[in-house]
Amino acid sequence: VEVVESGGGLVQAGGSLRLSCTVTGHQGSINDMGWYRQAPGKQREMVATISIGDDRHYEDSVKGRFAISRDNAKNTVYLQVNNLKSEDTAVYYCNAKISGARGWSLEVWGQGTQVTVSS
């Protein structure tokens, strides 16, 4: 299974980015997908998740600024990040939960994409 992220970069405060993540090489079905982030010296935290049925959840500090979406035909999840703040600086990781027949499941992570917000 390969998880490939893109879209990170250096942006000024107030700016926007669109992160993308595509999952390939898997069997079964992708269920929940999401974005997590880890800032230097901090634990990894959930940013946003989206279910196969488009049920979305957001971390409180990003509500109203970030929007998660997915394209099931492309096995891709997106994160539109707007009005970026310095505290959004982190490595952003894509996560996907995959399951198949007979009850097996697998959780996969991307390699991370750096988002740096300059003030």
Side-chain angles (χ1 to χ4, degrees):
V1 181
E2 189 173 19
V3 183
V4 179
E5 300 146 336
S6 62
L10 174 64
V11 63
Q12 289 188 332
S16 298
L17 289 170
R18 190 189 193 208
L19 309 184
S20 299
C21 168
T22 299
V23 180
T24 59
H26 64 282
Q27 294 182 343
S29 300
I30 300 174
N31 301 313
D32 292 351
M33 302 184 81
W35 290 92
Y36 294 70
R37 66 186 179 187
Q38 187 166 19
K42 294 187 177 182
Q43 290 188 333
R44 189 174 298 188
E45 64 175 359
M46 185 275 289
V47 176
T49 62
I50 183 168
S51 72
I52 187 68
D54 283 344
D55 184 27
R56 297 169 170 84
H57 295 277
Y58 296 95
E59 193 270 328
D60 285 346
S61 71
V62 308
K63 288 179 180 177
R65 299 188 298 122
F66 290 12
I68 191 169
S69 61
R70 63 190 288 172
D71 184 333
N72 294 326
K74 297 180 179 179
N75 296 322
T76 298
V77 62
Y78 305 97
L79 186 68
Q80 179 68 40
V81 297
N82 300 319
N83 190 20
L84 282 161
K85 304 176 180 180
S86 58
E87 53 263 41
D88 295 319
T89 294
V91 178
Y92 285 68
Y93 296 91
C94 174
N95 173 275
K97 296 178 174 62
I98 303 167
S99 64
R102 302 189 182 98
W104 67 263
S105 62
L106 176 68
E107 184 174 17
V108 295
W109 292 88
Q111 79 286 355
T113 185
Q114 177 71 48
V115 172
T116 302
V117 183
S118 63
S119 57

